Amino acid sequence: MSNLTLAGLGERVGTELGLSDWVTIDQPRIDTFASLTGDRQWIHVDVERAKRESPFRGPVAHGYLALAMVAPLSMQVGVIPSDAAAGLNYGIDKVRFLAPVPAGARVRLRVVLAGIERKEGGQVIMKTRNTLEVEGSEKPALIAETLALLIPANGG
């Protein structure tokens, strides 16, 4: 946990806030994501065809499934300051998908506080640089610069 406070965010800019636990991205998770989104491209869900025809020699997770892991893993790291009532998704400045996540691979998230912008009422826009690492891979699955709107518990 990163033990952040709204007042102390400024001094943490540029520092690593933490590293999540490893999480397995197994075929059932990939299949569920495909079912929820309607993205049933064979490279994700047809295991036998992916073993035969995919350049990755097996099924891989959707890029957007990997991106969807950023929010829960950053929460595990503890990116929401203890004195914030809420942290809401505000946007994504940049995402790059750099390496596949093979079915069954384990990933973890490394979070760096990239910047803050103070707003009215004590609200803060927090920018983090999120690197989703794939166990055994030199390249991360993705790097995403995300924005969260932090709302103070005292209402400002």
Side-chain angles (χ1 to χ4, degrees):
M1 296 296 270
S2 56
N3 299 317
L4 291 176
T5 63
L6 288 166
L9 279 177
E11 60 201 44
R12 298 290 296 274
V13 172
T15 67
E16 184 173 300
L17 298 181
L19 189 61
S20 76
D21 294 337
W22 289 104
V23 175
T24 301
I25 306 297
D26 57 14
Q27 192 62 49
R29 186 185 297 245
I30 293 168
D31 292 343
T32 299
F33 187 85
S35 176
L36 291 171
T37 62
D39 182 350
R40 299 178 192 278
Q41 188 180 139
W42 67 266
I43 202 164
H44 306 302
V45 298
D46 188 333
V47 174
E48 293 310 311
R49 183 176 177 191
K51 285 179 181 176
R52 285 191 319 269
E53 298 179 32
S54 166
F56 310 115
R57 298 191 180 114
V60 294
H62 305 73
Y64 285 114
L65 169 54
L67 183 60
M69 297 304 298
V70 170
L73 294 179
S74 66
M75 294 295 289
Q76 183 191 96
V77 166
V79 300
I80 305 301
S82 57
D83 56 348
L88 308 172
N89 286 326
Y90 192 75
I92 300 174
D93 277 356
K94 184 178 180 181
V95 179
R96 292 293 179 264
F97 298 100
L98 302 172
V101 178
R106 295 194 326 155
V107 298
R108 69 179 177 186
L109 188 69
R110 185 176 303 275
V111 183
V112 172
L113 180 57
I116 61 166
E117 180 185 344
R118 300 210 180 265
K119 304 296 262 182
E120 288 182 21
Q123 295 183 355
V124 176
I125 296 176
M126 177 176 67
K127 181 177 192 173
T128 54
R129 179 181 167 107
N130 303 276
T131 304
L132 190 69
E133 301 174 349
V134 182
E135 191 174 39
S137 173
E138 283 187 31
K139 284 187 177 179
L142 64 84
I143 297 174
E145 294 175 0
T146 61
L147 303 171
L149 176 63
L150 304 176
I151 300 170
N154 64 9

